[in-house]
Amino acid sequence: MSAKKYFITGGAGFIGSNFIQFLLRKYRDIRIINYDSLTYAGNLQNLTAIEKDPRYSFYKGNIC
């Protein structure tokens, strides 16, 4: 069985970053793609604990 993949927008904000960390703690077979424009609410320092996790990747962009 392949890993479930999640595409999360706004994952560098307070709620998004905590949600991503929750998912990575709860599930082993998971892959998370975080897509954030890093405006006033987005801060990559919220994700320093998981930035080297191979199940996690970050892309800067705007869905608009």
Side-chain angles (χ1 to χ4, degrees):
M1 179 187 284
S2 63
K4 287 190 177 187
K5 297 176 186 164
Y6 294 88
F7 183 79
I8 298 175
T9 59
F14 177 77
I15 294 171
S17 62
N18 281 287
F19 180 61
I20 288 171
Q21 291 179 55
F22 166 78
L23 288 174
L24 289 172
R25 279 193 309 271
K26 186 163 174 75
Y27 303 105
R28 289 253 185 247
D29 194 18
I30 189 174
R31 176 112 167 81
I32 295 178
I33 299 166
N34 178 9
Y35 193 75
D36 197 299
S37 61
L38 297 178
T39 58
Y40 69 94
N43 186 346
L44 287 178
Q45 289 181 343
N46 294 335
L47 298 160
T48 55
I50 61 162
E51 66 186 355
K52 298 207 186 300
D53 191 317
R55 301 171 297 158
Y56 169 78
S57 57
F58 171 78
Y59 296 93
K60 183 177 179 181
N62 188 329
I63 62 170
C64 291

